[in-house]
Amino acid sequence: MSHSVCRGVPSCLSQYGRVRVSGLGHKGSVWVGHPVSMSGPNLTRRQLGRRLRTLREQSGISPGAIASEPIELMSTSKLYRLENGQQPKPHYPDVKELCELYGHGPASEITKELVRMAKACLQAGWWEPFGSGVPAWFQLYLELEQITHTIRVYEVAYVTGLLQTEATMRALLAANPALDPDTVEQTVEARLRRQRHFTARNPAPRLELAIDEGALRRVVGGPDAHAEQLAHLREANARPNISVHVLPAASGAYAGQGQPFTLMEFPDPLDPSVVYSEAATGAHYDESAGAFGRRLATFGSMIGQAVPLEEFQL
């Protein structure tokens, strides 16, 4: 396992770094190794551009018409960059004018949302000050996590990052001799910040965790830290948007055993669901419908065999 804050990035975003296509015949499947640096607004720019293009197409207005009289709002090249998420700093008054041109006034919810997105493109991601505590290849996952409505996680070795206590984080990081003290501190602070951002979201995203019993029985950080982690997990499980299920050792083998993965779903139907898994040298992302469907079925099978945390006795 890498020392990353957590796990994820879909293949549709592979343009931001070095990737190797894997799984011949499986569209949308990539390995992401160690890509170039990514900034927080990348995903927001892509979403903003896609929504603007959809509104323009729905209005029946061509790019040429926007650049010509009597409109003359912007050049076709600028519109192309904006619609393809390649405009580094979208000018939100331009976005507002385009929305009005497409039939949505300044008071409409669509216009307000797209103007908000344009302004968000000017802001750095919360993770950027943490340096090596957040690997470059993981930063787009954090962007994705901010817009998911459902995250399903299967873990076999340890409690998932979003539900770890600080003591658990430190114990897991201390077990890696390759990490220097500064990186450990940056990583811990980044993980805690990530948890705060997740908890503060409104509406709260759904988090479903299927975890192997062995991960709960492993004493990470000593008896006191272990007890604190189990108590914290039970408290999280009591929240309306979080559910934890335990796969008991006594129940024997189960589908997908031993291969941790994360499933991410998004409110926008244009954003494909993502299957994410992590390796020591990078991460694998698959946005193909077939792969997601298979993993979702596997997760459902796990839940069917698992025991709700509140009913499980350690």
Side-chain angles (χ1 to χ4, degrees):
M1 185 192 75
S2 77
H3 66 270
S4 67
V5 183
C6 190
R7 297 182 161 128
V9 185
S11 61
C12 62
L13 302 177
S14 62
Q15 63 177 292
Y16 296 109
R18 180 181 64 81
V19 299
R20 176 173 63 82
V21 176
S22 65
L24 294 178
H26 296 278
K27 182 180 179 182
S29 178
V30 298
W31 276 96
V32 178
H34 298 281
V36 296
S37 179
M38 305 173 224
S39 59
N42 281 329
L43 182 63
T44 305
R45 285 201 304 266
R46 289 173 62 87
Q47 292 181 315
L48 172 63
R50 187 169 59 239
R51 285 161 174 76
L52 285 172
R53 183 170 60 249
T54 298
L55 290 180
R56 179 179 58 75
E57 291 172 347
Q58 290 174 345
S59 71
I61 299 175
S62 69
I66 292 175
S68 305
E69 294 183 355
I71 300 174
E72 292 187 298
L73 181 56
M74 64 179 64
S75 66
T76 54
S77 60
K78 182 177 179 180
L79 181 65
Y80 175 85
R81 291 195 301 272
L82 186 58
E83 290 187 348
N84 286 276
Q86 298 172 0
Q87 187 74 9
K89 296 182 179 181
H91 193 45
Y92 72 85
D94 288 346
V95 172
K96 183 178 178 182
E97 287 191 56
L98 285 172
C99 287
E100 293 184 36
L101 180 63
Y102 302 151
H104 301 276
S108 76
E109 290 303 315
I110 289 178
T111 300
K112 289 179 181 178
E113 175 63 12
L114 296 194
V115 167
R116 183 198 65 77
M117 292 175 69
K119 291 180 178 179
C121 291
L122 305 177
Q123 302 171 2
W126 62 260
W127 49 87
E128 292 191 11
F130 291 100
S132 60
V134 182
W137 57 265
F138 189 66
Q139 292 174 14
L140 277 180
Y141 178 86
L142 296 177
E143 289 194 61
L144 287 171
E145 189 173 82
Q146 294 183 118
I147 62 168
T148 55
H149 69 67
T150 301
I151 303 175
R152 296 180 178 90
V153 182
Y154 162 58
E155 290 287 6
V156 67
Y158 47 82
V159 173
T160 192
L162 281 171
L163 301 180
Q164 288 176 8
T165 62
E166 182 175 346
T168 295
M169 296 175 194
R170 291 188 178 279
L172 289 171
L173 293 166
N176 186 346
L179 301 184
D180 59 72
D182 287 343
T183 299
V184 169
E185 289 304 315
Q186 287 177 331
T187 304
V188 168
E189 181 53 37
R191 290 184 178 186
L192 293 172
R193 179 78 64 87
R194 174 181 174 230
Q195 290 182 351
R196 292 194 292 270
H197 275 265
F198 183 84
T199 302
R201 281 185 55 191
N202 186 21
R206 178 79 183 158
L207 174 61
E208 300 177 14
L209 172 64
I211 188 168
D212 192 279
E213 177 183 344
L216 298 184
R217 292 200 177 277
R218 183 177 297 278
V219 181
V220 176
D224 290 344
H226 183 229
E228 180 190 26
Q229 177 63 76
L230 294 179
H232 179 69
L233 200 59
R234 291 191 178 96
E235 291 174 5
N237 186 55
R239 300 178 202 163
N241 64 311
I242 297 177
S243 65
V244 180
H245 285 72
V246 183
L247 290 151
S251 68
Y254 53 86
Q257 185 171 352
Q259 301 174 350
F261 60 85
T262 297
L263 305 177
M264 305 180 78
E265 294 182 73
F266 309 93
D268 188 338
L270 295 176
D271 289 325
S273 300
V274 174
V275 180
Y276 172 77
S277 58
E278 188 172 303
T281 57
H284 183 239
Y285 309 90
D286 199 328
E287 61 181 5
S288 64
F292 184 84
R294 288 189 294 271
R295 285 293 192 176
L296 185 60
T298 297
F299 191 85
S301 176
M302 288 177 175
I303 295 299
Q305 195 169 338
V307 177
L309 180 62
E310 62 269 22
E311 299 175 14
F312 187 76
Q313 298 296 320
L314 277 172

